[in-house]
């Protein structure tokens, strides 16, 4: 398990969750003025989920998912809450003990990256950049920590429609679009800073991202079938 995953705040009790949620909301899309007036709604959704799902509680990254849902449905808190709950159910294994879905997804990512993005994959490996040093940051926030907010909102429907398949497809779409910048980055520190911080402040065409992600789905499906032989 990466240092990032090990260091995540996982709050099982309601009081711990409330404190962690308040802290994380201060830095959730902090550069987007439209988020600030919606923070009470985001807080209510996260707090209620922590109460209703004590086995999961609250984990860092959920704040970005809840914020995205509230901004997608600004006048329908009930719908935002339902869509957030659907995401939590769909990706339960990202946040539950031992992160089973995360570990499964990482294995598929490594296989696909080596097959279809070999130059970039080789560059990352040669630079000492391991998948667990960047994938949890993007996946546990459902791309809220990787992409500009409009692109996160644009890709969310595909992610919810396709589950881990969608997460992998969007991931490869992001890396394909950003491939030139990533190949130009030298050294582990520079690469991780680009992936985990700089990409979120760089404009990206959300429609192009989703179109590219859908083109990745057949490759993802092949890898999934190969990993689950009959």
């Amino acid at each position: 398990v990466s240092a990032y995953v090990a260091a995540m705040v996982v709050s099982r009790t309601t009081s711990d969750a409330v404190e962690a949620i308040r802290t994380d909301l201060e830095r959730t899309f902090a550069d987007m003025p439209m988020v600030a007036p919606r923070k009470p709604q985001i807080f209510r959704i996260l707090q209620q989920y922590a109460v209703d799902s004590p086995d999961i509680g609250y984990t860092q990254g959920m704040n970005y998912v809840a914020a995205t849902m509230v901004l997608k449905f600004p006048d329908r808190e009930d719908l935002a809450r339902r869509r957030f709950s659907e995401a939590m159910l769909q990706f339960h294994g990202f946040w539950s003990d031992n992160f089973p879905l995360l570990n499964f997804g990482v294995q598929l990512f490594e296989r696909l990256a080596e097959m279809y993005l070999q130059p970039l994959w080789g560059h990352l490996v040669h630079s000492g950049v391991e998948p667990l040093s960047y994938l949890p940051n993007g996946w546990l926030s459902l791309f809220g920590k990787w992409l500009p907010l409009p692109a996160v909102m644009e890709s969310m429907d595909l992610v919810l429609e396709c589950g881990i398949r969608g997460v992998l497809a969007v991931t490869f779409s992001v890396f394909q679009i950003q491939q030139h910048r990533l190949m130009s980055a030298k050294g582990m520190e520079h690469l991780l800073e680009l992936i985990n911080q700089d990409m979120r402040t760089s404009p990206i065409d959300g429609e192009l991202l989703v179109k590219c992600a859908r083109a990745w789905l057949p490759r993802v499906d092949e890898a999934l079938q190969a990993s689950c032989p009959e």
Side-chain angles (χ1 to χ4, degrees):
V1 179
S2 72
Y4 174 84
V5 175
M8 282 194 313
V9 174
V10 181
S11 304
R12 301 299 193 203
T13 68
T14 301
S15 58
D16 286 346
V18 167
E19 183 178 349
I21 292 167
R22 291 192 191 280
T23 299
D24 286 348
L25 277 182
E26 290 302 313
R27 49 181 178 246
T28 304
F29 296 121
D31 56 331
M32 302 295 293
M34 69 181 73
V35 175
R38 301 292 179 182
K39 285 184 178 179
Q41 295 167 269
I42 301 168
F43 176 83
R44 286 194 293 271
I45 289 172
L46 290 168
Q47 181 187 33
Q48 190 61 54
Y49 179 80
V51 170
D52 294 341
S53 306
D55 58 320
I56 299 293
Y58 170 76
T59 303
Q60 287 178 341
M62 293 180 181
N63 46 314
Y64 285 91
V65 183
T68 301
M69 297 308 182
V70 167
L71 290 165
K72 278 179 71 70
F73 308 104
D75 301 318
R76 290 287 307 277
E77 185 173 335
D78 60 326
L79 184 53
R81 185 188 305 274
R82 185 163 74 245
R83 294 293 275 173
F84 175 78
S85 296
E86 290 172 3
M88 294 300 102
L89 181 63
Q90 175 92 281
F91 298 104
H92 181 275
F94 275 169
W95 297 283
S96 57
D97 290 341
N98 299 317
F99 311 100
L101 186 61
L102 175 65
N103 294 325
F104 176 69
V106 168
Q107 292 174 8
L108 285 175
F109 172 83
E110 291 175 340
R111 185 180 309 161
L112 284 160
E114 189 171 10
M115 289 176 63
Y116 297 113
L117 287 180
Q118 219 297 312
L120 177 56
W121 175 244
H123 179 55
L124 291 169
V125 171
H126 180 73
S127 301
V129 179
E130 298 181 359
L132 280 172
S133 64
Y134 54 89
L135 290 180
N137 208 41
W139 289 3
L140 273 66
S141 64
L142 294 186
F143 302 104
K145 289 188 174 183
W146 272 11
L147 297 173
L149 178 55
V152 179
M153 295 172 68
E154 189 80 34
S155 63
M156 187 60 73
D157 289 338
L158 174 64
V159 168
L160 292 182
E161 172 192 340
C162 298
I164 188 62
R165 298 167 56 242
V167 167
L168 284 161
V170 171
T171 300
F172 282 106
S173 178
V174 170
F175 276 70
Q176 186 174 21
I177 291 170
Q178 299 285 1
Q179 182 165 269
H180 179 73
R181 292 182 69 197
L182 291 166
M183 290 294 293
S184 300
K186 305 300 181 185
M188 179 173 64
E189 186 176 338
H190 188 191
L191 278 162
L192 287 176
E193 183 177 315
L194 175 56
I195 297 170
N196 287 330
Q197 298 178 39
D198 293 352
M199 286 199 311
R200 202 184 72 73
T201 58
S202 303
I204 188 169
D205 186 330
E207 290 186 9
L208 174 63
L209 177 73
V210 172
K211 182 178 180 180
C212 182
R214 288 196 179 278
W216 274 97
L217 282 173
R219 295 172 178 175
V220 172
D221 287 340
E222 286 182 10
L224 271 170
Q225 291 170 4
S227 69
C228 302
E230 295 182 3

